[in-house]
Amino acid sequence: MSSKIRILLADDHAVLRSGLDALLGLEDDFQVVGQAAGGEEAVEKTRLLRPDVVVMDLAMPGMDGLEATRQIAALEIGARVLVLTSQTEDEFLLPVLEAGASGFVRKTSADVDLLTAIRTVAGGEVFLYPSATRVLLRKYQQAREPQPEGPLDKLSEREREVLTLTAEGYSSAEIGKKLFLSPKTVDTYRARMMQKLGLTHRAELVKLALETGMLKPA
């Protein structure tokens, strides 16, 4: 993998794309490799340029950001989609996650959170605000009845703890502090869980915890 995180910017507003390009260009570990003004272009440029992270707006003319996210996930080339939007989490967070995105950042807080979010998803983590996770839980449980635990029976108690904290939006470092483990050990537990459960993306762990009713709204 390149020492720089390769980024594609997808937004229909040219001024915003230019501003993001300038902001990200100040970071030594970032490289903006392309821009897209719509969903179709985002999918095609992801196929051609193979970025590590696609920063994706949801509201674009033609193919919207959700469908573009689904198609990028279906390419299975390792590109992570980070949704950057002014849309509300209450309405869009669950569809975003189900489409295959690895994170959700509000445009109103992009100046604070975007850099961290890009590094987080590029490293294979899921970036969600803790408050957003509670929204996700409520929406998911409204949409579906919890399924029996089933595959979770395969997990040890420690693996279940790591799964729960992952689903709540905590990073490996934060989980390690809570459980008195090193981040590397947390990653090992997560990798073992994914192997046991037949999953390939960390976002799927979040979805599984919701489907099984393992997490309960506060």
Side-chain angles (χ1 to χ4, degrees):
M1 182 177 172
S2 170
S3 58
K4 290 181 179 289
I5 298 172
R6 293 165 48 81
I7 302 164
L8 174 69
L9 302 175
D11 195 292
D12 59 323
H13 292 96
V15 173
L16 178 60
R17 294 197 311 272
S18 297
L20 291 175
D21 194 344
L23 174 67
L24 301 180
L26 298 175
E27 302 299 308
D28 292 338
D29 57 334
F30 289 169
Q31 179 184 4
V32 177
V33 296
Q35 297 184 18
E40 295 93 339
E41 188 180 6
V43 175
E44 185 59 24
K45 286 195 172 178
T46 298
R47 193 195 317 271
L48 294 174
L49 301 174
R50 295 184 175 251
D52 300 306
V53 177
V54 181
V55 178
M56 179 77 72
D57 186 26
L58 291 180
M60 294 186 289
M63 182 189 295
D64 64 18
L66 272 180
E67 180 58 28
T69 297
R70 292 188 191 97
Q71 294 195 21
I72 288 171
L75 293 176
E76 296 186 344
I77 60 175
R80 307 285 182 175
V81 177
L82 176 65
V83 169
L84 175 64
T85 182
S86 57
Q87 305 292 339
T88 64
E89 293 153 330
D90 190 61
E91 183 176 359
F92 282 96
L93 188 56
L94 177 57
V96 160
L97 190 62
E98 290 188 325
S102 295
F104 188 106
V105 176
R106 310 176 190 111
K107 282 185 176 178
T108 53
S109 58
D111 57 330
V112 176
D113 298 321
L114 182 59
L115 304 184
T116 297
I118 289 173
R119 293 186 178 102
T120 297
V121 301
E125 300 279 357
V126 176
F127 184 89
L128 293 175
Y129 302 107
S131 59
T133 306
R134 290 191 290 272
V135 169
L136 179 61
L137 282 168
R138 289 196 302 272
K139 297 296 288 185
Y140 202 98
Q141 292 194 343
Q142 289 168 6
R144 304 185 182 189
E145 288 295 324
Q147 299 175 357
E149 282 200 358
L152 296 185
D153 291 339
K154 303 174 184 178
L155 304 183
S156 68
E157 185 61 32
R158 181 64 87 186
E159 289 168 343
R160 285 169 176 253
E161 290 176 333
V162 173
L163 172 55
T164 299
L165 291 169
T166 298
E168 289 176 351
Y170 293 103
S171 67
S172 291
E174 291 167 333
I175 293 172
K177 288 180 181 179
K178 288 178 176 292
L179 300 182
F180 302 102
L181 302 171
S182 71
K184 185 175 181 180
T185 300
V186 173
D187 288 338
T188 299
Y189 276 117
R190 189 182 289 112
R192 188 182 303 158
M193 285 188 301
M194 293 176 74
Q195 183 178 18
K196 286 182 178 181
L197 298 172
L199 304 179
T200 56
H201 300 295
R202 286 182 175 86
E204 294 176 309
L205 289 176
V206 179
K207 184 177 178 182
L208 179 64
L210 298 172
E211 286 179 340
T212 58
M214 190 175 183
L215 296 178
K216 307 296 182 184

